[in-house]
Coordinates of all heavy atoms in Angstrom, one line a residue:
A1 N 72.8 270.1 -150.5 CA 73.2 270.6 -149.2 C 72.3 271.8 -148.7 O 71.8 271.8 -147.6 CB 74.7 271.1 -149.2
T2 N 72.0 272.7 -149.6 CA 71.1 273.8 -149.3 C 69.7 273.4 -149.0 O 69.1 273.8 -148.0 CB 71.2 274.8 -150.5 OG1 72.5 275.2 -150.7 CG2 70.3 276.1 -150.2
I3 N 69.2 272.5 -149.9 CA 67.8 272.0 -149.7 C 67.7 271.2 -148.4 O 66.8 271.5 -147.6 CB 67.4 271.1 -150.9 CG1 67.2 272.0 -152.1 CG2 66.2 270.3 -150.6 CD1 66.8 271.2 -153.4
E4 N 68.7 270.4 -148.1 CA 68.6 269.6 -146.9 C 68.7 270.5 -145.6 O 68.0 270.3 -144.7 CB 69.7 268.5 -146.9 CG 69.4 267.4 -147.8 CD 70.4 266.3 -147.7 OE1 71.6 266.5 -147.8 OE2 70.0 265.1 -147.4
K5 N 69.5 271.5 -145.7 CA 69.7 272.5 -144.6 C 68.4 273.1 -144.3 O 68.1 273.4 -143.1 CB 70.8 273.5 -144.9 CG 71.2 274.4 -143.8 CD 72.1 273.8 -142.9 CE 72.6 274.8 -141.8 NZ 73.5 274.1 -140.9
M6 N 67.6 273.4 -145.3 CA 66.3 274.0 -145.2 C 65.2 273.0 -144.7 O 64.1 273.4 -144.5 CB 65.8 274.6 -146.5 CG 66.6 275.8 -146.9 SD 65.9 276.5 -148.4 CE 66.8 278.1 -148.4
G7 N 65.6 271.8 -144.6 CA 64.6 270.8 -144.2 C 63.7 270.3 -145.3 O 62.6 269.7 -145.0
I8 N 64.1 270.5 -146.5 CA 63.3 270.1 -147.7 C 63.8 268.7 -148.0 O 64.9 268.5 -148.3 CB 63.4 271.0 -148.9 CG1 62.9 272.4 -148.5 CG2 62.6 270.5 -150.1 CD1 63.3 273.5 -149.4
P9 N 62.9 267.7 -148.0 CA 63.3 266.3 -148.3 C 63.8 266.1 -149.7 O 63.2 266.7 -150.7 CB 62.1 265.4 -148.0 CG 61.0 266.3 -147.8 CD 61.5 267.7 -147.7
L10 N 64.8 265.3 -149.9 CA 65.3 264.9 -151.2 C 64.5 263.7 -151.8 O 64.0 262.9 -151.0 CB 66.8 264.5 -151.2 CG 67.8 265.6 -150.7 CD1 69.2 265.0 -150.7 CD2 67.7 266.8 -151.6
T11 N 64.4 263.6 -153.1 CA 63.8 262.4 -153.7 C 64.8 261.3 -153.6 O 66.0 261.5 -153.5 CB 63.4 262.7 -155.1 OG1 64.6 262.9 -155.9 CG2 62.4 263.9 -155.3
D12 N 64.3 260.0 -153.8 CA 65.2 258.9 -153.8 C 66.3 259.1 -154.9 O 67.5 258.8 -154.7 CB 64.5 257.6 -154.0 CG 63.7 257.2 -152.7 OD1 64.0 257.8 -151.6 OD2 62.8 256.4 -152.8
K13 N 65.8 259.5 -156.1 CA 66.8 259.7 -157.2 C 67.8 260.7 -156.8 O 69.0 260.6 -157.1 CB 66.0 260.1 -158.4 CG 66.9 260.2 -159.7 CD 66.1 260.5 -160.9 CE 67.1 260.8 -162.0 NZ 66.8 260.3 -163.3
Q14 N 67.4 261.8 -156.2 CA 68.4 262.8 -155.7 C 69.4 262.3 -154.7 O 70.6 262.6 -154.8 CB 67.7 264.1 -155.2 CG 66.9 264.9 -156.2 CD 66.0 265.9 -155.6 OE1 65.5 265.7 -154.5 NE2 65.8 266.9 -156.4
K15 N 68.9 261.4 -153.8 CA 69.8 260.8 -152.8 C 70.8 260.0 -153.5 O 72.0 260.0 -153.1 CB 69.0 260.0 -151.8 CG 68.2 260.8 -150.9 CD 67.3 259.9 -150.0 CE 66.3 260.8 -149.2 NZ 65.3 260.0 -148.5
E16 N 70.4 259.3 -154.6 CA 71.4 258.5 -155.4 C 72.4 259.4 -156.0 O 73.6 259.0 -156.1 CB 70.6 257.6 -156.4 CG 69.8 256.5 -155.9 CD 68.9 255.9 -156.9 OE1 69.1 256.0 -158.1 OE2 67.9 255.2 -156.5
Q17 N 71.9 260.5 -156.6 CA 72.8 261.4 -157.2 C 73.9 262.0 -156.2 O 75.0 262.1 -156.6 CB 72.1 262.6 -157.8 CG 71.4 262.4 -159.1 CD 70.6 263.6 -159.6 OE1 69.9 264.2 -158.8 NE2 70.8 263.9 -160.8
V18 N 73.4 262.3 -155.0 CA 74.3 262.8 -154.0 C 75.3 261.8 -153.6 O 76.5 262.1 -153.5 CB 73.5 263.3 -152.7 CG1 74.4 263.6 -151.6 CG2 72.6 264.5 -153.1
A19 N 74.9 260.5 -153.5 CA 75.8 259.4 -153.2 C 76.8 259.2 -154.3 O 78.0 259.0 -154.1 CB 75.1 258.2 -152.9
A20 N 76.3 259.3 -155.5 CA 77.2 259.1 -156.7 C 78.2 260.3 -156.8 O 79.4 260.1 -157.1 CB 76.4 259.1 -158.0
Q21 N 77.8 261.5 -156.5 CA 78.7 262.6 -156.5 C 79.8 262.5 -155.4 O 80.9 262.8 -155.6 CB 77.9 264.0 -156.3 CG 78.8 265.2 -156.4 CD 79.4 265.4 -157.8 OE1 78.6 265.5 -158.8 NE2 80.7 265.6 -157.9
A22 N 79.4 262.1 -154.2 CA 80.3 261.9 -153.1 C 81.3 260.8 -153.5 O 82.5 261.0 -153.2 CB 79.6 261.5 -151.8
A23 N 80.9 259.7 -154.1 CA 81.8 258.7 -154.6 C 82.8 259.2 -155.6 O 84.0 258.9 -155.6 CB 81.0 257.5 -155.1
Y24 N 82.2 260.0 -156.5 CA 83.1 260.6 -157.6 C 84.1 261.5 -157.0 O 85.3 261.4 -157.4 CB 82.2 261.4 -158.6 CG 82.9 262.1 -159.6 CD1 83.5 261.5 -160.7 CD2 83.1 263.5 -159.5 CE1 84.2 262.2 -161.7 CE2 83.8 264.2 -160.5 CZ 84.3 263.5 -161.6 OH 85.0 264.2 -162.5
D25 N 83.7 262.4 -156.1 CA 84.6 263.3 -155.4 C 85.7 262.5 -154.7 O 86.9 262.9 -154.7 CB 83.9 264.3 -154.5 CG 83.0 265.2 -155.3 OD1 83.2 265.4 -156.5 OD2 82.1 265.8 -154.6
A26 N 85.3 261.5 -154.0 CA 86.3 260.7 -153.2 C 87.3 260.0 -154.2 O 88.5 259.9 -153.9 CB 85.5 259.6 -152.4
A27 N 86.8 259.6 -155.3 CA 87.7 258.9 -156.3 C 88.7 259.9 -156.9 O 89.8 259.5 -157.2 CB 86.9 258.2 -157.4
K28 N 88.3 261.1 -157.0 CA 89.1 262.2 -157.6 C 90.2 262.7 -156.6 O 91.2 263.2 -157.0 CB 88.3 263.4 -157.9 CG 87.8 263.8 -159.0 CD 87.1 265.0 -159.4 CE 86.6 265.9 -158.2 NZ 85.9 267.0 -158.7
T29 N 89.9 262.6 -155.3 CA 90.8 263.1 -154.3 C 92.0 262.2 -154.2 O 91.9 261.0 -154.0 CB 90.1 263.2 -152.9 OG1 88.9 263.9 -153.1 CG2 90.9 263.9 -151.9
P30 N 93.2 262.8 -154.4 CA 94.4 261.9 -154.3 C 94.6 261.4 -152.9 O 94.4 262.1 -151.9 CB 95.5 262.9 -154.7 CG 95.0 264.3 -154.7 CD 93.5 264.2 -154.7
K31 N 94.9 260.1 -152.8 CA 95.2 259.5 -151.5 C 96.6 259.8 -151.1 O 97.5 259.8 -151.9 CB 95.0 257.9 -151.7 CG 93.7 257.5 -152.3 CD 92.6 257.5 -151.2 CE 91.3 257.0 -151.7 NZ 90.4 258.0 -152.3
E32 N 96.7 260.1 -149.8 CA 98.1 260.4 -149.3 C 98.7 259.2 -148.7 O 98.1 258.4 -148.1 CB 97.9 261.6 -148.3 CG 97.5 262.8 -149.0 CD 97.6 264.1 -148.1 OE1 98.5 264.1 -147.2 OE2 96.9 265.0 -148.2

């Protein structure tokens, strides 16, 4: 988030990590 806010591009591998983290966080969040 910090790197992107500064306009520094992410590598493809980092983009995959970010997507994986988002999916992980979504899976952990209890559904209401």
Side-chain angles (χ1 to χ4, degrees):
T2 303
I3 286 180
E4 285 185 305
K5 186 81 173 176
M6 289 184 166
I8 301 166
L10 298 180
T11 65
D12 289 342
K13 185 175 172 138
Q14 289 169 333
K15 288 175 189 167
E16 287 169 21
Q17 282 180 313
V18 170
Q21 183 67 52
Y24 174 78
D25 292 343
K28 257 189 349 182
T29 306
K31 305 280 181 272
E32 291 191 34

